[in-house]
Each structure stands twice: as structure tokens, then as C-alpha cells.
Amino acid sequence: MGSDAIELAAGQYRAIIGRKGATLQRLTWCGGDLIWGGDSDSTGEGAEGVGAFQGRLMAPWPNRVDKGRYTFEGTEYQLEITDPERGTAIHGLVHSRLWTPHDITPTHVRLTYDLDGEPGYPFPLELAVDYRIHPASGLSVLATARNVGSTSAPYGFGAHPYLTVGVPLDEATLHLPARLRLPVDERLLPTGPPQNVAGTEYDFRAPRRIGETVFDTAFTGLRPGIEGRSWTVLAGPDHGVGLWADSSCGWLQVYSADGLPGPAHRSALAVEPMTCPPNALATGRGLRVLGPGDRSEARFGIRMMAPTLG
């Protein structure tokens, strides 16, 4: 745990939040890990030396932008290419920035970052994230953005937690309440509209073993449950981990860590709540347009669950 980390605790839950990237570094229940995390300075595979983006926040866009190019309100912009292998700009601008903590209590912290506008994204935003721990419901996250500029701003949000249940993914059971998946090319960019998962290897609407299924896939058509939340549950023999997202996050990127080396390979499942799909800055699909003074919210959470739930 880095010296800038903030620890939250309630009941049997404990979370560690890092200022760099406002990162969810660790989440445990009764001392056991619910996520595969990393400290704020973790290195390894991934753009800009941020490891596998464990627990990072992705704004003002999640996922990838093709060639880093997009047009907004008649003007073309060029983002830095941060995934040179695929020629894309990946996971936004703030996952490695130092956020400022406020309102720290034993169960809550709010972190903020002022994005002043940069080459390729000249739109000033006030970003904030609230992490809360509750002894019964576990971790909840509220991410907000407010346009403090004088013109409209394109915006998307995502988060990058990896769920873990202490066994290899091949042996774990997954419940993913998604009706549609987004087809992509070899550069992981969309090739057409979302397709129905029925009858395919990506249909986990009924819980079943993951086996050899490989994910680097965006899903939508999420089925809401109690309180309008869609629940994705990864389960092992002893417990499950559930990630919920409300209607603010209509997409989930699921990644089975096949591209990661060593012990990380297929050891945890990234379940990334997103407000829009890959390449949204370029296509406009699901993209939020914030007028001056407008505010955007996204909510999700993670908790321990019995292995038979979901």
C-alpha cells in the first residue's frame, strides 16, 4: 500500500484507494480478496506503465478510440496514441493523474481531479469519485463529471476492476445478464451493431462455468434486477463476487486477462462498467454531450455474494 493510499472499512469489508488514478487498489471481505488490484505505481503490461489498469477510472472516454481521431460539432481532434500496437487511444486521460482526496471518513472518501483541457480533448471538466463502504452492501462508487467550459463537451466514463474468487477463470462460474455483445475486429474496434448472444459461447444469462471462453468483449442489453441494477456474478467453490451497475452504465467490457503474462493470465475477470461502447468518441454511440454546466453520473458497486447467488 502506497503512502498516499486511503483505507476504508465497515463490517468485514476493507478497501484501499490510491490517489494516483483514484485507483481501487484492494477490496477484501473477511481478509479475502474480492478484486485483483494493484498499487498506484504498478507497472507491467498496458499503456503508460499502469499495469493491467487494475481498479483504474477511465474518463473522459473508456476503452479505445480508433487512430485517436474523432469529430465533434464539426471539428476534428487527434488524441495521443497510447496503444501503439493497435493504433488506438485507450482508457482516457486521468488513470495516471494524481487526484485530490476530500471528506475522508472511516467509510467514505471523495477524490477530485480538474481536467483543464488538453491537446486532442480541449474540454475542461471537474471530475469526482465517491467511494463508500457499507457493512452489508459492500463497496459503492459514484463517479461524476461537470462541464466547466463555455462549449459542449463529449464524455464517457468507465471503471476497470478485476473480480477474483481465488481459482482460475476456467474453473469459475459466471452469470452475465447481457443480451447483446459487440462484434469487434483484430484491433478490438466495433465492426457492426450489437448481436444477440443466444446460442453463442457468450451467453451467460444463466450461470455456467467459464471453461475456455475468451473475453475481450463489450456487452449491452443488460437485464436490470432489484433497484434497477444489473448484477454480474463470478463464483468459485467458496464464494462469489458480484458487480452491479445501474442504468447509468449501459455497457460492460468483460476481459478474461488472456493477454496478461505469468500468474495474471486468466486469473481474474475484468468487468468494466461503461457509459458507452468502444470508439464512442468517433461513432457517437452512447456518447454523452455535456452542455456548459451539465453534470454526468455513473454508479456501480462490488460485494461478496454466496456462490449460489446470481
Side-chain angles (χ1 to χ4, degrees), residues 131-180:
Y131 288 99
R132 295 183 186 274
I133 289 284
H134 186 275
S137 56
L139 177 74
S140 64
V141 184
L142 168 63
T144 61
R146 189 168 73 90
N147 181 0
V148 293
S150 58
T151 63
S152 294
Y155 178 75
F157 168 83
H160 208 301
Y162 286 79
L163 309 184
T164 182
V165 290
V167 299
L169 289 185
D170 300 42
E171 302 172 17
T173 296
L174 176 64
H175 177 213
L176 177 63
R179 184 175 54 87
L180 302 169

Side-chain angles (χ1 to χ4, degrees), residues 231-249:
W231 282 91
T232 300
V233 180
L234 182 71
D238 301 320
H239 71 281
V241 182
L243 182 145
W244 63 263
D246 71 7
S247 60
S248 64
C249 293

Side-chain angles (χ1 to χ4, degrees), residues 1-299:
M1 183 174 73
S3 60
D4 64 348
I6 300 153
E7 183 174 337
L8 307 178
Q12 299 299 323
Y13 287 98
R14 178 171 173 260
I16 297 175
I17 313 298
R19 290 182 60 197
K20 191 173 183 180
T23 302
L24 177 61
Q25 294 182 7
R26 195 172 185 197
L27 178 65
T28 64
W29 186 81
C30 289
D33 287 321
L34 300 181
I35 66 165
W36 173 52
D39 65 36
S40 290
D41 299 312
S42 62
T43 59
E45 294 292 317
E48 297 186 9
V50 293
F53 292 96
Q54 303 105 299
R56 303 281 172 150
L57 301 184
M58 303 177 290
W61 75 89
N63 215 284
R64 293 169 171 81
V65 180
D66 185 15
K67 299 177 184 176
R69 296 176 189 164
Y70 67 99
T71 298
F72 180 68
E73 295 190 341
T75 299
E76 184 173 292
Y77 299 95
Q78 177 66 60
L79 300 163
E80 180 184 359
I81 300 300
T82 48
D83 183 359
E85 180 181 351
R86 294 188 174 96
T88 60
I90 188 170
H91 293 348
L93 299 170
V94 298
H95 51 67
S96 296
R97 307 292 175 86
L98 195 64
W99 293 54
T100 302
H102 309 269
D103 307 328
I104 302 174
T105 74
T107 61
H108 166 263
V109 64
R110 178 178 178 86
L111 299 103
T112 61
Y113 183 80
D114 291 336
L115 183 64
D116 294 330
E118 304 189 6
Y121 190 87
F123 308 102
L125 301 174
E126 288 182 351
L127 304 176
V129 59
D130 288 86
Y131 288 99
R132 295 183 186 274
I133 289 284
H134 186 275
S137 56
L139 177 74
S140 64
V141 184
L142 168 63
T144 61
R146 189 168 73 90
N147 181 0
V148 293
S150 58
T151 63
S152 294
Y155 178 75
F157 168 83
H160 208 301
Y162 286 79
L163 309 184
T164 182
V165 290
V167 299
L169 289 185
D170 300 42
E171 302 172 17
T173 296
L174 176 64
H175 177 213
L176 177 63
R179 184 175 54 87
L180 302 169
R181 72 170 183 92
L182 191 66
V184 294
D185 61 18
E186 66 280 357
R187 296 170 59 226
L188 301 177
L189 293 164
T191 58
Q195 300 176 351
N196 200 303
V197 299
T200 75
E201 63 178 322
Y202 298 105
D203 190 351
F204 286 84
R205 289 174 293 175
R208 63 182 179 89
R209 188 167 174 167
I210 292 175
E212 297 180 354
T213 304
V214 174
F215 293 99
D216 203 341
T217 309
F219 292 88
T220 190
L222 306 177
R223 187 182 70 231
I226 296 173
E227 298 180 343
R229 297 172 174 180
S230 63
W231 282 91
T232 300
V233 180
L234 182 71
D238 301 320
H239 71 281
V241 182
L243 182 145
W244 63 263
D246 71 7
S247 60
S248 64
C249 293
W251 291 82
L252 292 175
Q253 179 80 18
V254 180
Y255 173 50
S256 49
D258 290 79
L260 300 183
H265 180 77
R266 289 186 69 84
S267 65
L269 187 71
V271 180
E272 309 166 35
M274 305 186 301
T275 61
C276 56
N279 207 28
L281 277 183
T283 65
R285 178 188 290 270
L287 191 68
R288 297 182 179 180
V289 176
L290 304 181
D294 285 354
R295 188 172 181 266
S296 173
E297 293 187 352
R299 298 177 185 267

